[in-house]
């Protein structure tokens, strides 16, 4: 990726939504909710604390994360829809 976020920002690729329910009913695009799960694509260098020291981020590229419904800013980079958000918007990392 040619985009590198600054400070405590993270670039996330939203995972695709389910096309069908568990019972096999196809969900139309207008009724789908955007998934709140994604994969971290790139991370910034970290935030600075009160003493001016750089504090590294807890997430890294490749992590699967959960985030809030209204978290982040949607952007399009090289034709791909991505989210840019602060690390504090991420609720947790999903274990593999």
């Amino acid at each position: 990726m040619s985009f590198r976020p600054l400070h405590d920002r993270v670039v996330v690729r939203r995972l695709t939504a389910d096309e069908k329910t568990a019972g096999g009913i196809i969900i139309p695009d207008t009724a789908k909710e955007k998934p709140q799960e994604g994969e971290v694509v790139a991370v910034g260098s970290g935030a600075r604390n009160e003493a001016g020291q750089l504090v590294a981020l807890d997430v890294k590229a490749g992590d699967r994360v959960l985030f809030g419904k209204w978290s982040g800013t949607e952007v399009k980079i090289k034709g791909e829809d991505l989210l840019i958000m602060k690390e504090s918007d991420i609720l947790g990392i999903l274990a593999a």
Side-chain angles (χ1 to χ4, degrees), residues 1-6 11 13 41-43 75-80 82 84:
M1 164 165 278
S2 61
F3 180 81
R4 184 177 59 93
L6 298 176
V11 179
R13 179 182 303 120
V41 177
V43 297
V75 296
K76 188 171 272 204
I77 300 173
K78 291 188 175 183
E80 185 177 14
L82 300 170
I84 298 176

Side-chain angles (χ1 to χ4, degrees), residues 21-67:
T21 65
I25 298 172
I26 296 175
I27 304 169
D29 289 339
T30 56
K32 288 181 187 172
E33 286 200 23
K34 292 184 178 180
Q36 297 172 319
E37 183 179 338
E39 178 184 0
V40 176
V41 177
V43 297
S45 58
R48 299 214 177 258
N49 61 14
E50 294 82 22
Q53 299 166 330
L54 193 64
V55 178
L57 301 181
D58 289 330
V59 296
K60 61 186 179 309
D63 285 347
R64 288 184 60 150
V65 294
L66 292 176
F67 49 88

Side-chain angles (χ1 to χ4, degrees), residues 12-28:
V12 176
R13 179 182 303 120
R14 195 184 297 263
L15 296 181
T16 57
D18 291 334
E19 300 289 325
K20 293 183 181 180
T21 65
I25 298 172
I26 296 175
I27 304 169

